[in-house]
Each structure stands twice: as C-alpha cells, then as structure tokens.
C-alpha cells in the first residue's frame, strides 16, 4: 500500500518491491520498519505508520532510507 507513496517521493517506478523483513514499534498506532528489495542487490528501508483502527487511516510512509544492502541491519530511523 505504500509503494505508490515511495515511488512518488523518489520520482521513479520500481518493478521489484518485495518486503524481506520487518520490525514493529508500538506508539499511538504502530510504526513498521520494513526492509524492501527493489532490485537484485538494491534495498530500501521504509518507516510506515499505521494509526489506531478508529482513526480510519491507511498506512502512511513516514520515512525511508535508500542505498541499503541485504545485510544492513534494520534499525529505528
């Protein structure tokens, strides 16, 4: 659901967009930190916020890091 948000911020389209790993952080909703493979050896880390159910909002891309590798640790940013 956040792929279009990410592509818009990066101003490019990605044919590959596979979530490989994720972590969560409970706040007033949930922060998801997601490692996504966008090409053979290129990865990005996404921070996605999902609000509480009564807020009726979809997931929101709150931040991202590009230039990551498969072995880069997925940490808070």
């Amino acid at each position: 659901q956040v792929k279009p948000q990410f592509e818009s911020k990066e101003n490019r389209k990605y044919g590959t967009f596979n979530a490989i790993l994720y972590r969560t952080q409970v706040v007033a909703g949930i922060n998801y930190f997601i490692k996504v493979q966008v090409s053979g050896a290129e990865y990005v880390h996404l921070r996605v916020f999902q609000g509480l159910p009564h807020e009726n909002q979809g997931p929101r891309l709150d931040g991202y890091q590009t230039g990551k590798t498969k072995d880069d640790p997925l940490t808070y940013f």
Side-chain angles (χ1 to χ4, degrees):
Q1 289 180 318
V2 297
K3 181 182 179 188
Q5 295 174 50
F6 177 67
E7 289 176 333
S8 175
K9 290 180 184 282
E10 279 291 289
N11 199 29
R12 71 183 266 202
K13 297 287 184 187
Y14 292 89
T16 301
F17 202 80
N18 297 321
I20 304 299
L21 176 71
Y22 77 95
R23 295 176 184 263
T24 60
Q25 175 189 40
V26 177
V27 289
I30 300 176
N31 279 328
Y32 292 91
F33 299 91
I34 308 167
K35 181 181 291 198
V36 178
Q37 183 178 19
V38 293
S39 73
E42 185 181 1
Y43 293 78
V44 297
H45 291 179
L46 307 179
R47 185 176 74 233
V48 176
F49 176 74
Q50 176 66 60
L52 298 171
H54 72 274
E55 295 174 347
N56 292 325
Q57 295 178 350
R60 178 183 74 217
L61 180 63
D62 272 357
Y64 65 93
Q65 298 176 330
T66 59
K68 296 296 186 176
T69 68
K70 182 179 180 181
D71 297 323
D72 284 335
L74 184 59
T75 58
Y76 177 87
F77 61 93

